Structure formats: structure tokens, C-alpha cells
Amino acid sequence: MEDFAMLYSILVANGPVFAAALIGIVVALVWWPKAPLPAKLVLVACVLEMLLTGLSAWMSGWYVPHMVREGNTMQGIRTIVTAISVCASVLRAVLFGLLIWAAFAGRDAAHPTPR
């Protein structure tokens, strides 16, 4: 039961990220008819961010304590956690890139106004 308490505390700590992603999903669905490409990019980024945050909470709150109890060495656990953290960081960078792309997708090039 204490495994779940740790997991819940990590999820609560990540509550603002979940809330922002959920708001992003709602905004993307509302704007879908007017701007389908940016809405699709935001939707994908927000859903993946929610999954990534949940996976990180699971790893910190359940997986690592479970591996310690199973008798794995700290060096082995550290290696796995480092690899997963690097992958998560790269994925977060990709998600951030999707949001930047969404900000500018579908916009026409600005033409100078004649004087």
C-alpha cells in the first residue's frame, strides 16, 4: 500500500502538468474545426505529455522501490533509470517542438503592406 502512496504523491506533485495537458487537449478539440493542423499537433503533444508524466511517476513511485526490494544493485538500477530519463528528456524535447510547430503551422507568410 505504501507503494501506491508514493505513486499518488508523485502524481499530485505533477498535478499542474496534468492540468495543463488536459486544458491543452480541450483547447485542441475546440479549435479543431478552425485550425486542424495546429490542433492535431497540440493534441498529440498533450496526450503524450500526460502519458510521459504518468510513466515517470510510475517509475519513481513503484518501479525503483520494487527493484530495490528485489535485490538489484544500485548501479543496475541507476543505469536503467538514467536510460529511461534520457529517453524521456528527448521525448519531452520532441513534444516541445510539436508545440512550437503548432504555434506557427498553417500561417501564411506575411506580405509587406503597400504604402
Short mmCIF file of all heavy atoms in Angstrom, two decimals, residues 22-56:
data_model
loop_
_atom_site.label_atom_id
_atom_site.label_comp_id
_atom_site.label_asym_id
_atom_site.label_seq_id
_atom_site.Cartn_x
_atom_site.Cartn_y
_atom_site.Cartn_z
N LEU A 22 -4.37 18.56 -19.88
CA LEU A 22 -5.81 18.36 -20.04
C LEU A 22 -6.46 19.60 -20.65
O LEU A 22 -7.30 19.49 -21.57
CB LEU A 22 -6.46 18.03 -18.70
CG LEU A 22 -7.93 17.67 -18.73
CD1 LEU A 22 -8.14 16.43 -19.60
CD2 LEU A 22 -8.43 17.42 -17.32
N ILE A 23 -6.05 20.78 -20.20
CA ILE A 23 -6.57 22.02 -20.79
C ILE A 23 -6.15 22.11 -22.25
O ILE A 23 -6.94 22.50 -23.12
CB ILE A 23 -6.09 23.24 -19.98
CG1 ILE A 23 -6.79 23.25 -18.62
CG2 ILE A 23 -6.34 24.54 -20.73
CD1 ILE A 23 -6.20 24.23 -17.63
N GLY A 24 -4.91 21.72 -22.55
CA GLY A 24 -4.44 21.71 -23.94
C GLY A 24 -5.27 20.79 -24.81
O GLY A 24 -5.58 21.12 -25.97
N ILE A 25 -5.65 19.64 -24.28
CA ILE A 25 -6.48 18.70 -25.04
C ILE A 25 -7.85 19.32 -25.34
O ILE A 25 -8.34 19.26 -26.47
CB ILE A 25 -6.63 17.37 -24.27
CG1 ILE A 25 -5.29 16.62 -24.29
CG2 ILE A 25 -7.74 16.51 -24.86
CD1 ILE A 25 -5.24 15.42 -23.36
N VAL A 26 -8.45 19.94 -24.33
CA VAL A 26 -9.77 20.57 -24.52
C VAL A 26 -9.68 21.70 -25.54
O VAL A 26 -10.50 21.81 -26.45
CB VAL A 26 -10.32 21.08 -23.16
CG1 VAL A 26 -11.56 21.94 -23.36
CG2 VAL A 26 -10.63 19.90 -22.25
N VAL A 27 -8.65 22.55 -25.41
CA VAL A 27 -8.48 23.66 -26.35
C VAL A 27 -8.25 23.13 -27.78
O VAL A 27 -8.81 23.66 -28.74
CB VAL A 27 -7.32 24.58 -25.90
CG1 VAL A 27 -6.94 25.57 -26.98
CG2 VAL A 27 -7.69 25.30 -24.62
N ALA A 28 -7.46 22.08 -27.91
CA ALA A 28 -7.22 21.49 -29.23
C ALA A 28 -8.52 20.98 -29.85
O ALA A 28 -8.76 21.17 -31.05
CB ALA A 28 -6.19 20.37 -29.13
N LEU A 29 -9.35 20.34 -29.04
CA LEU A 29 -10.61 19.82 -29.57
C LEU A 29 -11.56 20.95 -29.95
O LEU A 29 -12.29 20.85 -30.95
CB LEU A 29 -11.26 18.88 -28.54
CG LEU A 29 -10.51 17.57 -28.30
CD1 LEU A 29 -11.15 16.78 -27.17
CD2 LEU A 29 -10.42 16.75 -29.57
N VAL A 30 -11.55 22.04 -29.18
CA VAL A 30 -12.41 23.18 -29.50
C VAL A 30 -11.95 23.86 -30.80
O VAL A 30 -12.78 24.24 -31.63
CB VAL A 30 -12.42 24.19 -28.32
CG1 VAL A 30 -13.04 25.52 -28.72
CG2 VAL A 30 -13.16 23.60 -27.12
N TRP A 31 -10.65 23.98 -30.98
CA TRP A 31 -10.11 24.68 -32.15
C TRP A 31 -9.94 23.77 -33.37
O TRP A 31 -9.55 24.26 -34.44
CB TRP A 31 -8.76 25.31 -31.80
CG TRP A 31 -8.94 26.61 -31.09
CD1 TRP A 31 -9.10 26.80 -29.75
CD2 TRP A 31 -9.02 27.90 -31.68
NE1 TRP A 31 -9.26 28.12 -29.48
CE2 TRP A 31 -9.22 28.83 -30.65
CE3 TRP A 31 -8.95 28.35 -32.99
CZ2 TRP A 31 -9.34 30.18 -30.89
CZ3 TRP A 31 -9.06 29.71 -33.22
CH2 TRP A 31 -9.26 30.60 -32.18
N TRP A 32 -10.22 22.50 -33.25
CA TRP A 32 -10.02 21.56 -34.35
C TRP A 32 -10.69 22.02 -35.66
O TRP A 32 -10.05 21.98 -36.72
CB TRP A 32 -10.50 20.17 -33.94
CG TRP A 32 -10.06 19.09 -34.87
CD1 TRP A 32 -10.55 18.83 -36.12
CD2 TRP A 32 -9.03 18.13 -34.64
NE1 TRP A 32 -9.90 17.76 -36.68
CE2 TRP A 32 -8.96 17.31 -35.78
CE3 TRP A 32 -8.18 17.88 -33.59
CZ2 TRP A 32 -8.07 16.26 -35.89
CZ3 TRP A 32 -7.29 16.84 -33.70
CH2 TRP A 32 -7.24 16.05 -34.84
N PRO A 33 -11.95 22.45 -35.63
CA PRO A 33 -12.58 22.85 -36.91
C PRO A 33 -11.92 24.07 -37.57
O PRO A 33 -11.87 24.16 -38.79
CB PRO A 33 -14.02 23.19 -36.52
CG PRO A 33 -14.24 22.53 -35.21
CD PRO A 33 -12.91 22.49 -34.53
N LYS A 34 -11.42 25.01 -36.76
CA LYS A 34 -10.85 26.24 -37.32
C LYS A 34 -9.39 26.08 -37.73
O LYS A 34 -8.94 26.73 -38.67
CB LYS A 34 -10.97 27.37 -36.31
CG LYS A 34 -12.38 27.78 -36.02
CD LYS A 34 -12.41 28.90 -35.01
CE LYS A 34 -13.86 29.25 -34.69
NZ LYS A 34 -13.94 30.28 -33.66
N ALA A 35 -8.65 25.29 -36.99
CA ALA A 35 -7.21 25.13 -37.25
C ALA A 35 -6.83 23.67 -37.02
O ALA A 35 -6.27 23.32 -35.98
CB ALA A 35 -6.41 26.05 -36.34
N PRO A 36 -7.12 22.79 -37.98
CA PRO A 36 -6.93 21.36 -37.74
C PRO A 36 -5.48 20.93 -37.51
O PRO A 36 -5.23 20.12 -36.63
CB PRO A 36 -7.51 20.69 -38.98
CG PRO A 36 -7.74 21.75 -39.98
CD PRO A 36 -7.74 23.06 -39.28
N LEU A 37 -4.53 21.46 -38.27
CA LEU A 37 -3.14 21.03 -38.09
C LEU A 37 -2.57 21.45 -36.74
O LEU A 37 -2.04 20.61 -36.01
CB LEU A 37 -2.25 21.52 -39.24
CG LEU A 37 -0.78 21.13 -39.12
CD1 LEU A 37 -0.61 19.61 -39.09
CD2 LEU A 37 0.03 21.73 -40.26
N PRO A 38 -2.68 22.73 -36.35
CA PRO A 38 -2.19 23.09 -35.02
C PRO A 38 -2.91 22.34 -33.90
O PRO A 38 -2.29 21.92 -32.92
CB PRO A 38 -2.45 24.59 -34.92
CG PRO A 38 -2.49 25.07 -36.32
CD PRO A 38 -3.08 23.92 -37.10
N ALA A 39 -4.21 22.15 -34.05
CA ALA A 39 -4.96 21.43 -33.02
C ALA A 39 -4.49 19.98 -32.90
O ALA A 39 -4.35 19.45 -31.79
CB ALA A 39 -6.46 21.47 -33.35
N LYS A 40 -4.21 19.36 -34.05
CA LYS A 40 -3.73 17.98 -34.04
C LYS A 40 -2.36 17.89 -33.35
O LYS A 40 -2.12 16.99 -32.56
CB LYS A 40 -3.63 17.46 -35.47
CG LYS A 40 -3.36 15.99 -35.59
CD LYS A 40 -3.21 15.55 -37.04
CE LYS A 40 -4.39 16.00 -37.87
NZ LYS A 40 -4.30 15.60 -39.28
N LEU A 41 -1.48 18.84 -33.65
CA LEU A 41 -0.15 18.84 -33.04
C LEU A 41 -0.23 19.05 -31.53
O LEU A 41 0.46 18.37 -30.76
CB LEU A 41 0.73 19.92 -33.69
CG LEU A 41 1.06 19.71 -35.16
CD1 LEU A 41 1.71 20.96 -35.75
CD2 LEU A 41 1.95 18.50 -35.34
N VAL A 42 -1.07 19.97 -31.11
CA VAL A 42 -1.24 20.22 -29.67
C VAL A 42 -1.85 19.00 -28.99
O VAL A 42 -1.42 18.61 -27.90
CB VAL A 42 -2.10 21.48 -29.43
CG1 VAL A 42 -2.51 21.61 -27.97
CG2 VAL A 42 -1.34 22.73 -29.87
N LEU A 43 -2.83 18.39 -29.63
CA LEU A 43 -3.48 17.21 -29.06
C LEU A 43 -2.47 16.08 -28.87
O LEU A 43 -2.40 15.46 -27.80
CB LEU A 43 -4.63 16.76 -29.96
CG LEU A 43 -5.44 15.57 -29.46
CD1 LEU A 43 -6.18 15.93 -28.20
CD2 LEU A 43 -6.42 15.12 -30.53
N VAL A 44 -1.66 15.81 -29.89
CA VAL A 44 -0.65 14.74 -29.79
C VAL A 44 0.35 15.06 -28.68
O VAL A 44 0.68 14.21 -27.85
CB VAL A 44 0.06 14.54 -31.15
CG1 VAL A 44 1.29 13.66 -31.00
CG2 VAL A 44 -0.90 13.93 -32.15
N ALA A 45 0.83 16.31 -28.65
CA ALA A 45 1.81 16.69 -27.63
C ALA A 45 1.24 16.57 -26.23
O ALA A 45 1.91 16.06 -25.32
CB ALA A 45 2.29 18.12 -27.89
N CYS A 46 0.00 17.00 -26.03
CA CYS A 46 -0.59 16.96 -24.68
C CYS A 46 -0.89 15.53 -24.23
O CYS A 46 -0.65 15.19 -23.07
CB CYS A 46 -1.86 17.81 -24.65
SG CYS A 46 -1.52 19.58 -24.75
N VAL A 47 -1.39 14.70 -25.12
CA VAL A 47 -1.66 13.30 -24.76
C VAL A 47 -0.35 12.58 -24.42
O VAL A 47 -0.26 11.87 -23.40
CB VAL A 47 -2.42 12.57 -25.89
CG1 VAL A 47 -2.43 11.07 -25.66
CG2 VAL A 47 -3.85 13.10 -25.98
N LEU A 48 0.67 12.79 -25.24
CA LEU A 48 1.96 12.15 -24.96
C LEU A 48 2.59 12.69 -23.68
O LEU A 48 3.23 11.94 -22.94
CB LEU A 48 2.90 12.31 -26.15
CG LEU A 48 2.55 11.49 -27.38
CD1 LEU A 48 3.50 11.81 -28.53
CD2 LEU A 48 2.56 10.00 -27.08
N GLU A 49 2.40 13.96 -23.39
CA GLU A 49 2.93 14.53 -22.14
C GLU A 49 2.24 13.89 -20.94
O GLU A 49 2.89 13.59 -19.93
CB GLU A 49 2.75 16.05 -22.11
CG GLU A 49 3.24 16.69 -20.84
CD GLU A 49 4.71 16.49 -20.58
OE1 GLU A 49 5.52 16.55 -21.51
OE2 GLU A 49 5.07 16.26 -19.40
N MET A 50 0.94 13.67 -21.02
CA MET A 50 0.23 13.01 -19.92
C MET A 50 0.76 11.59 -19.74
O MET A 50 0.98 11.16 -18.60
CB MET A 50 -1.28 13.01 -20.17
CG MET A 50 -1.91 14.37 -20.03
SD MET A 50 -3.67 14.35 -20.28
CE MET A 50 -4.22 13.81 -18.67
N LEU A 51 0.95 10.88 -20.83
CA LEU A 51 1.48 9.51 -20.73
C LEU A 51 2.90 9.50 -20.17
O LEU A 51 3.24 8.67 -19.32
CB LEU A 51 1.44 8.82 -22.10
CG LEU A 51 0.07 8.51 -22.66
CD1 LEU A 51 0.19 8.00 -24.09
CD2 LEU A 51 -0.66 7.52 -21.79
N LEU A 52 3.72 10.42 -20.63
CA LEU A 52 5.10 10.50 -20.17
C LEU A 52 5.17 10.86 -18.69
O LEU A 52 5.97 10.27 -17.94
CB LEU A 52 5.87 11.53 -21.00
CG LEU A 52 7.35 11.65 -20.73
CD1 LEU A 52 8.06 10.32 -20.96
CD2 LEU A 52 7.95 12.73 -21.61
N THR A 53 4.34 11.76 -18.24
CA THR A 53 4.32 12.14 -16.83
C THR A 53 3.85 10.96 -15.98
O THR A 53 4.40 10.70 -14.91
CB THR A 53 3.43 13.37 -16.61
OG1 THR A 53 3.93 14.44 -17.41
CG2 THR A 53 3.41 13.79 -15.16
N GLY A 54 2.84 10.26 -16.45
CA GLY A 54 2.38 9.07 -15.73
C GLY A 54 3.44 7.99 -15.67
O GLY A 54 3.63 7.35 -14.63
N LEU A 55 4.15 7.79 -16.77
CA LEU A 55 5.23 6.80 -16.79
C LEU A 55 6.35 7.19 -15.83
O LEU A 55 6.89 6.34 -15.12
CB LEU A 55 5.77 6.63 -18.21
CG LEU A 55 6.91 5.65 -18.38
CD1 LEU A 55 6.46 4.23 -18.06
CD2 LEU A 55 7.46 5.72 -19.79
N SER A 56 6.69 8.46 -15.80
CA SER A 56 7.74 8.92 -14.88
C SER A 56 7.32 8.72 -13.43
O SER A 56 8.13 8.32 -12.59
CB SER A 56 8.05 10.40 -15.14
OG SER A 56 8.57 10.57 -16.42
#
